[in-house]
Amino acid sequence: FYGGKTIHTFTNTGTFTAPASFDETVEYVVVAGGGGGGKGANNRGGGGGAGGYLTGTTPITGPSPIAITVGGGGASAPAGGYQGGQSVAAFPSPITSTGGGLGGNQAGNGGNGGSGGGAGGVTSGGTEGSAGTGSPPQGNPGSIGYAVTGSEATGGGGGGAGGAGRPISDGTTRAHGGLGVQLPSTFRNPDSQPGSDGGGLGAPGPGSTYFWVAGGGGAATGTAPDIGLGGSGTSDSGPFAGGGDGGSPIAPDGVTNTGGGGGGGELGGSGGSD
């Protein structure tokens, strides 16, 4: 209970049951699972895209059991990442949020999704894959990869609900995951404030703010500190909004219950569920 409202939070699939006397307009946020990060030799996998983000209002009249489906994060695997699962609130007019696009494997395409995955990169003279788009547009596209010499990792950042993934423009720039979004003020109950690794509603965001979700996964542009940060957009601070950082040899996962994309690397991280 906060601000004169009752907040119902589903982190697993379940049922919202409105009583017979219920006749209200409710505010909702539906976030899908984040996409898994890509893999590639010398860390050339792209970051996973964030799960689709939808918010709005809808009338509900009881009695009305409403199925709530919570999409899981896209798993990482030896063959690469997978798209995140969709989340659905089966209101009288169902709200369906699309899972985040997978990060591209080496020289591979980023997947389309709520936000698109970053493309996989290649060595000099090769052709990187295409960045994934937000399809349907419930977020933003991932970024292209980049071809450089040597062993630099060159995947692109996954898209976030608040901004596109960041590409590598040279051999040193970090490929950050796209910025996430902050939950509407209705849902920012201080008792639900998350810690640095989540644990409440959402994850930390820019400027020591909280309740951020759906950040894109970063890509590993070399070894730390030269890694793409999850959910950071064009900022070199983070990670934010649950997006996983790029990493070597195994990139971090997106934060649970944020819809953040998994980081890209030699082996990508899984996307965060919501």
Side-chain angles (χ1 to χ4, degrees), residues 56-174:
T57 61
T58 187
I60 295 178
T61 301
S64 178
I66 296 169
I68 306 294
T69 302
V70 177
S76 62
Y82 292 89
Q83 182 174 1
Q86 69 178 17
S87 293
V88 183
F91 298 131
S93 297
I95 307 299
T96 301
S97 182
T98 303
L102 57 87
N105 292 339
Q106 182 173 339
N109 297 331
N112 298 334
S115 281
V122 293
T123 53
S124 181
T127 302
E128 71 274 357
S130 299
T133 63
S135 178
Q138 299 170 358
N140 291 279
S143 73
I144 61 171
Y146 192 74
V148 296
T149 58
S151 60
E152 288 284 348
T154 57
R166 178 176 176 175
I168 302 172
S169 59
D170 56 48
T172 59
T173 300
R174 304 192 224 180

